[in-house]
């Protein structure tokens, strides 16, 4: 051996978001000058470092280095003990390298985020919603879900009413709300509902506020129209009964006389010819389809240079019926030709179909909803090439979605981020651009997509499809809150930007460029 090593202490404890240190001592026991390279191996290597990472020692001399552990306050640093090693490698004698083993224990922390989707329910007999619960802590979470209404006039079903969530994952529960009494006429009744999400061992929990507008079965306009029709019918009957037509009969007496002559048969004037039928009216002129939203020069960025969706999306003709998949067709993500139909693919097709008539990547009519057909594949490949040529973006899309014409999470992140302006998604803003930003971040921050994550993704996809079909700039609005700010910050840290928690122009451009967490990982 040409060295002697020591690690003090061998076991340390640290809080997420905090810092702990250990000291490494190395002594050169050889007879020549030696340089020792130091590195951390094991699970904590991602949030640990050695300073300095190189020690140059004369024979008989000793040097020290500090190992610092700084686990992030996120699910990426699971709670509990994690073994690690410090590799000490002599430059001149690499075969004599040594590894000192230690252990760092990460303290647990809990953080829960929940959302009612959608927060406002409307119906005559029932309302349906989903409750999304995200575990942002580093320990498994068990939470119970209950509902109450202020008027106590509702009944509900929650399935399931208790969820277990791994760190960094989300769970969903289906909520059905029904009024105890059906309103046949009158005005809509407004019910305020509260969904309580309580973590096991915590009585405070979270409260999600929502509303249920119970509409009458018979709307007011129908009652007005029905009353008018009844009044008109009664008036008609009264007038008919009051009208007594005068019917008279006459009989002529035939008197004999030489001047009386019988009328010969066929002597009457001929009947006039039937009028010619009018020619059919000319069909009305075809309506013009409004122009689509711009593509922003192949990608665009946030802020003043962001790609625009315009004042409202164009009206897209309904696509053909979904094709029946093969019995053993694979499922996404990633989606490719021959895969099973999916609403997420349909959203991407509507996004491509509304790029505008002047854009070469626009998906032309005739595509099949929910599957990657030939037309969709060509349009996707064109879109991806445009993004990779846009120097305002990060140009990282094909680092994850490597095969052109397939639909992966980097391309979906880019499509959701298209047209977002930084000034419209500031803290406290409530609009559809905030929803698009949340959907883009949801794809960008999930390197491994579970079935529960896909349920959330399909919820966003259906809202996007409704937005494009409605041809108006309202959409499903959400609020930019602290939870979204944390998601923005996590994304910024993952892609090497400054973690401000604010979706500035550069952050939006990086999303449009397809720069996602753990780029190169397909997603499932």
């Amino acid at each position: 051996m040409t060295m002697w090593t020591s690690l003090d202490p061998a076991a340390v404890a640290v809080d997420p978001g905090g810092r702990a240190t250990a000291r490494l001592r190395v002594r050169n026991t050889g007879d020549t000058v030696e340089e020792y390279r130091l590195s951390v191996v094991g699970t904590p290597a991602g949030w640990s470092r050695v300073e300095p990472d190189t020690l140059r020692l004369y024979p008989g001399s000793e040097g020290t280095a500090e190992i610092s552990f700084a686990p992030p306050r996120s699910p990426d640093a699971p709670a509990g003990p994690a073994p690690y090693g410090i590799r000490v490698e002599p430059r001149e004698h690499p075969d004599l390298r040594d590894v000192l083993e230690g252990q760092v224990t990460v303290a647990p922390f809990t953080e829960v985020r929940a959302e009612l989707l959608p927060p406002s329910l409307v119906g005559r007999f029932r309302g349906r919603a989903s409750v999304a619960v995200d575990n942002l802590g580093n320990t498994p979470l068990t939470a119970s879900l209950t509902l109450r209404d202020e008027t106590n006039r509702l009944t509900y079903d929650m399935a399931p009413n208790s969820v277990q969530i791994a760190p960094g994952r989300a769970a969903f529960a289906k909520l059905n709300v029904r009024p105890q009494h059906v309103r046949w006429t009158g005005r809509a009744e407004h019910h305020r509902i509260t969904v309580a999400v309580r973590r096991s061992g915590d009585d405070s929990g979270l409260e999600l506020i929502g509303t249920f507008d119970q509409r009458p079965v018979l709307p007011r306009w129908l009652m007005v129209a029905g009353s008018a029709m009844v009044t008109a019918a009664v008036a008609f009957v009264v007038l008919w009964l009051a009208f007594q037509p005068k019917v008279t009969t006459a009989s002529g007496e035939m008197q004999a006389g030489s001047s009386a002559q019988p009328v010969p048969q066929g002597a009457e004037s001929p009947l006039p010819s039937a009028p010619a039928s009018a020619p059919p009216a000319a069909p009305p002129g075809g309506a013009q389809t409004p122009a689509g939203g711009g593509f922003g020069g192949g990608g665009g960025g946030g802020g003043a240079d962001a790609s625009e969706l315009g004042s409202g999306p164009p009206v897209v003709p309904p696509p053909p019926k979904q094709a029946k998949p093969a019995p053993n067709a694979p499922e996404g993500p990633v989606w490719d030709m021959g895969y099973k139909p999916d609403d997420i693919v349909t959203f991407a097709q509507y996004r491509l179909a509304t790029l505008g008539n002047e854009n070469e990547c626009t998906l032309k009519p005739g595509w099949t909803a929910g599957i990657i057909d030939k037309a969709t594949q060509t349009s996707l490949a064109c879109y991806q090439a445009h993004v990779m040529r846009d120097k305002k973006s990060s140009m990282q899309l094909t680092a994850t979605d490597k095969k052109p014409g397939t639909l992966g999470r980097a391309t979906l992140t880019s499509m959701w981020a298209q047209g977002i302006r930084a000034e419209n998604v500031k803290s406290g803003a409530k609009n559809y651009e905030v929803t698009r930003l949340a959907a883009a971040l949801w794809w960008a921050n999930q390197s491994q997509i579970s079935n529960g994550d896909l349920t959330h993704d399909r919820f966003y996809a259906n809202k996007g499809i409704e937005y494009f079909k409605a041809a108006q700039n309202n959409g499903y609005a959400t609020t930019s809150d602290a939870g979204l700010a944390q998601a923005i910050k996590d994304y910024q840290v993952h892609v090497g930007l400054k973690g401000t928690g604010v979706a500035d122009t550069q952050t939006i451009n990086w999303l449009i460029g397809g720069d996602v967490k753990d780029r190169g990982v397909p997603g499932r």
Side-chain angles (χ1 to χ4, degrees):
M1 290 292 292
T2 62
M3 63 179 174
W4 171 86
T5 56
S6 173
L7 182 62
D8 183 32
V12 296
V14 62
D15 292 327
R19 183 173 179 270
T21 61
R23 187 176 66 166
L24 172 68
R25 297 169 59 193
V26 180
R27 181 184 303 160
N28 184 357
T29 59
D31 53 5
T32 60
V33 177
E34 184 63 272
E35 182 177 278
Y36 302 92
R37 288 174 290 185
L38 313 176
S39 59
V40 182
V41 294
T43 302
W47 34 269
S48 306
R49 64 179 180 178
V50 183
E51 293 181 339
D53 58 0
T54 302
L55 292 176
R56 184 177 177 84
L57 303 177
Y58 289 96
S61 64
E62 181 179 306
T64 61
E66 183 180 79
I67 302 97
S68 59
F69 304 95
R73 189 176 175 82
S74 73
D76 294 331
Y84 71 94
I86 305 297
R87 181 189 292 124
V88 182
E89 185 174 3
R91 182 174 182 179
E92 299 298 331
H93 302 85
D95 55 320
L96 300 178
R97 65 176 177 268
D98 188 20
V99 177
L100 284 80
E101 296 182 353
Q103 179 176 285
V104 57
T105 302
V106 181
F109 81 96
T110 57
E111 185 174 344
V112 184
R113 183 174 65 189
E115 187 176 5
L116 181 62
L117 306 170
S120 299
L121 312 181
V122 179
R124 292 178 172 84
F125 301 102
R126 69 179 61 203
R128 293 185 176 92
S130 297
V131 181
V133 184
D134 297 286
N135 183 5
L136 304 181
N138 64 352
T139 59
L141 167 71
T142 301
S144 61
L145 310 175
T146 57
L147 181 141
R148 70 174 185 273
D149 67 291
E150 295 179 352
T151 58
N152 204 21
R153 297 179 182 176
L154 302 175
T155 59
Y156 76 94
D157 294 322
M158 186 85 70
N161 57 13
S162 179
V163 293
Q164 293 183 342
I165 316 168
R169 295 298 181 183
F172 297 84
K174 298 295 184 181
L175 173 62
N176 289 325
V177 178
R178 294 183 298 274
Q180 295 180 0
H181 303 285
V182 177
R183 295 182 63 84
W184 293 99
T185 60
R187 295 185 177 182
E189 185 175 359
H190 183 79
H191 302 273
R192 179 185 171 94
I193 60 176
T194 302
V195 177
V197 181
R198 287 186 171 83
R199 181 174 57 87
S200 177
D202 183 4
D203 294 333
S204 58
L206 300 175
E207 290 191 346
L208 310 178
I209 306 301
T211 58
F212 173 57
D213 287 334
Q214 182 186 356
R215 301 290 176 82
V217 176
L218 302 177
R220 181 177 297 179
W221 67 266
L222 183 61
M223 298 297 296
V224 174
S227 300
M229 293 179 64
V230 171
T231 303
V234 171
F236 177 78
V237 172
V238 171
L239 291 175
W240 176 263
L241 294 177
F243 178 68
Q244 298 180 358
K246 184 178 181 181
V247 180
T248 60
T249 61
S251 59
E253 295 182 358
M254 298 182 61
Q255 298 180 358
S258 59
S259 60
Q261 301 292 332
V263 179
Q265 295 294 324
E268 295 88 358
S269 300
L271 294 175
S273 301
S277 60
Q288 298 296 323
T289 302
F295 187 36
D305 296 329
S307 298
E308 297 277 355
L309 290 178
S311 59
V315 177
V316 179
K321 293 182 179 180
Q322 291 186 353
K324 292 184 178 180
N328 297 321
E331 295 180 325
V334 175
W335 289 271
D336 201 350
M337 295 186 70
Y339 279 48
K340 290 183 179 180
D342 201 301
D343 290 341
I344 296 174
V345 178
T346 305
F347 161 78
Q349 291 171 316
Y350 272 102
R351 172 69 275 195
L352 293 170
T354 56
L355 293 177
N357 295 330
E358 302 300 325
N359 195 296
E360 63 180 353
C361 297
T362 300
L363 180 58
K364 302 301 187 293
W367 45 276
T368 304
I371 64 172
I372 305 292
D373 53 15
K374 185 61 179 177
T376 304
Q377 185 187 59
T378 302
S379 181
L380 267 173
C382 178
Y383 176 91
Q384 291 161 342
H386 267 269
V387 171
M388 293 304 293
R389 291 197 301 267
D390 179 16
K391 295 184 179 180
K392 290 180 295 182
S393 76
S394 58
M395 296 187 292
Q396 291 291 329
L397 190 146
T398 55
T400 300
D401 297 351
K402 301 180 186 299
K403 182 180 177 182
T406 60
L407 183 63
R409 63 191 187 95
T411 303
L412 284 161
T413 298
S414 175
M415 288 182 169
W416 275 112
Q418 280 285 350
I420 297 176
R421 290 179 174 268
E423 61 268 23
N424 294 339
V425 292
K426 295 180 179 179
S427 178
K430 183 177 182 180
N431 52 58
Y432 184 55
E433 288 189 40
V434 176
T435 304
R436 298 212 309 270
L437 177 60
L441 290 168
W442 185 262
W443 277 111
N445 285 337
Q446 295 291 331
S447 60
Q448 298 294 328
I449 308 297
S450 67
N451 290 332
D453 297 332
L454 285 174
T455 300
H456 204 160
D457 296 326
R458 292 188 181 102
F459 172 81
Y460 280 127
N462 283 300
K463 291 301 178 182
I465 294 169
E466 293 173 7
Y467 169 80
F468 286 120
K469 286 183 176 181
Q472 55 188 358
N473 195 16
N474 45 21
Y476 168 58
T478 52
T479 303
S480 179
D481 55 10
L484 183 63
Q486 183 61 47
I488 296 170
K489 184 176 180 180
D490 290 346
Y491 172 75
Q492 291 168 331
V493 172
H494 287 316
V495 298
L497 300 176
K498 185 177 181 180
T500 62
V502 176
D504 54 11
T505 301
Q506 187 180 25
T507 301
I508 297 172
N509 282 340
W510 257 232
L511 288 167
I512 292 174
D515 202 340
V516 298
K517 177 183 177 182
D518 298 334
R519 68 176 73 100
V521 178
R524 195 174 182 177

